[in-house]
Amino acid sequence: MIKFGNGNLRIPKFERPVYVVAGGLTDYRKRYPEKNTSQLCTEALRMAVEENDLKVDPEEVRRSVNWCVYSQFADHFGDQLLAAAKIHDYLGFDPLGNIEVKTGGATGGSAVLAAAQAVASGYASCVPVVGWERMDEVSTKVGNSYIASAACKDFESELGWMYAAYYALMAQRYQYENNVPRDTLARIACKNHEYARYSPYAQNPGKYTVKEVLENDIVSHPLSFLECCVMSVGAAVLLLCDEETAHRFTEKPVQLKAIAGGSHTLRTADRRDMPILLLPNETPETYRHYFEERRDSWPGFSSFLASRMAAYLAYNMAGIKDPLTDFDLLETHDAFTISDVQTYEDIGLRPYGRGREFIESGDAYFEGRLPTNLSGGLIGTMHAVGATGIFQIVELLWQLQGHYDKFHGDPQLWRRYGKEKPADWRSLQVKNAKRGCAISHAGTGSHVTCAILEKV
Amino acid sequence: MSIDWPNTVLEVVERKPLLVKNPKTWSHIHSYGGWGRFFDGLRERKILATHCKNPACGEKRLWLPPRCECPDCWHETAWVEAPQRGKIYTWSVVKYPGELFKLPAGTPLISVELEGVCTKLMSWLKEGKPEIGMPVRAVFNTERPTHTILDLAWVPA
């Protein structure tokens, strides 16, 4: 869509407030044969109901549930159609109604959106959102092929059967237009691998130098392995409630102020030029000098219209004027270093063409202006696709409740996953964090959701 | 009567935890439907695109990959030949392709900019080293077509 009608840009509205009260995770691994998918989902649910300091016992939570939302990206990875029905049964929620959501990499974000819609409309008052992915039944090469069947199978999948290659095409164009130093991109990878070192859930933690990231083997030029997300097995659970239930369950409810979704063509190829959709912190003046010989169109291959659309709706829904100052925390879908820089621009942390400054200024780091992916993100911690968007919001919830240390620093928790808490572990708890944002992202930007959480 | 136990057994990959191998060997019979014309065109060394037939529609440019209906007004489109010379809009060399890739690792992928076309077709470079802005011309696999998008490629012009 190039021209918007008034209805197209209507700002979404919740009929009543929506709260997030509890979250649970598993650890994430490349292979997890020790546990089947139902076990992983149950483990995450138990963490949500048993370890989030709820004022009610798990049985009372069960009695309060009246709708469930399930989140799995790919039936062919799990090789089980209607897996949600099986998980729902194993979690003991029969005969309550449920729905399974699928929007590629943004499945988790969309599942939270669906649950929020149920609570906000009055349809439900207590909704668990359960996400998972089991990506270890096939080899990595077949796994990449499965993921690439989420590209257009008629005109694009055959070209590589590899999603990293489709992002690499965008990366090369972004670099041609904006010339970001390779070091800057590598620093994103270093940052997220580093933050993953403090997370007991993380699959791919590590202390890497910029040089090591750049000298790492290339997947698809210019992206190195260390600049790409992991392929994971694991689950994540989030509990959404209405106001009354939230206050009954917890002393520390966090409000889901807004969540909104945008979309764009599955094929990057089909992205036609259009005027830039402006965020509340931008004016036409922001882009007076943006277009030149190399930057000849928007969104082109350098920007994600779906992310811009989701941010536009969510920011207006939550009254966000300037994301850089209004948010204390951010979780992005850092599937690749380059897409992270693109996202910084799409969600208005810097104007288009200047995303690199968000990293170079130090803003994105712990104790910077807007710490980003303190969870370790998709590069360092996990990308069990159906769980990912939920995992991001669980991590935000814990930060906003002041529970980072509880859920990352407890040596028992590390041992639960067969790990030792590192001797140089440090707390990434953001002091007095009030408001956080999470971006869930699919395809080369086919679906994106933007969620905004606020401490009550 | 007594029915025999099955002859087909699953291979045990590991005993603890129990891992078994589920073989998958069947085919999908896929229809290109209305897009089939595009693949027929490649065998005649033509790049067939479509454009909207509705005179009131704002989008006058060509769609490539073709669309049978216009996404802006939902009207039918008409087939028309697209230019066979264009420029590289972006590129990457895929070093670790996924399973099913029919070309060697190290094949350059490209997105091609063509005059009068509103999209940037993803394709591959058969000869030479890719560079953004590089002029290229289309070549066609007519001898042993794969009947996929790989039957179209580009070489330096």
Side-chain angles (χ1 to χ4, degrees), chain A residues 185-207:
Chain A
L185 293 180
R187 281 174 64 189
I188 298 172
C190 296
K191 170 174 79 67
N192 297 354
H193 285 292
E194 161 76 9
Y195 292 159
R197 293 181 59 240
Y198 311 117
S199 168
Y201 316 103
Q203 179 179 331
N204 205 9
K207 233 183 165 70

Side-chain angles (χ1 to χ4, degrees), chain A residues 73-148:
Chain A
F73 155 59
D75 285 330
H76 47 339
F77 265 111
D79 195 22
Q80 168 69 69
L81 264 71
L82 220 47
K86 198 161 149 184
I87 303 292
H88 189 66
D89 165 17
Y90 275 79
L91 295 179
F93 288 129
D94 284 318
L96 303 176
N98 72 74
I99 190 167
E100 186 180 358
V101 172
K102 281 192 164 28
T103 61
T107 294
S110 298
V112 176
L113 171 58
Q117 287 167 339
V119 173
S121 67
Y123 182 89
S125 63
C126 180
V127 184
V129 187
V130 181
W132 70 89
E133 207 72 45
R134 170 161 290 282
M135 307 179 83
D136 64 351
E137 288 207 358
V138 292
S139 69
T140 303
K141 207 172 170 185
V142 171
N144 276 314
S145 188
Y146 276 0
I147 295 168

Side-chain angles (χ1 to χ4, degrees), chain A residues 31 132 136 142 152 165 175 186 239 247 265 302-303 317 321 338 343 370 372 385 400 418 422 455:
Chain A
R31 295 184 69 251
W132 70 89
D136 64 351
V142 171
C152 170
Q175 288 294 57
L239 194 59
H247 287 291
T265 59
S302 292
S303 311
M317 200 175 165
K321 297 284 175 240
I338 188 71
T343 301
L370 181 53
T372 298
V385 188
L400 295 174
K455 193 156 79 178

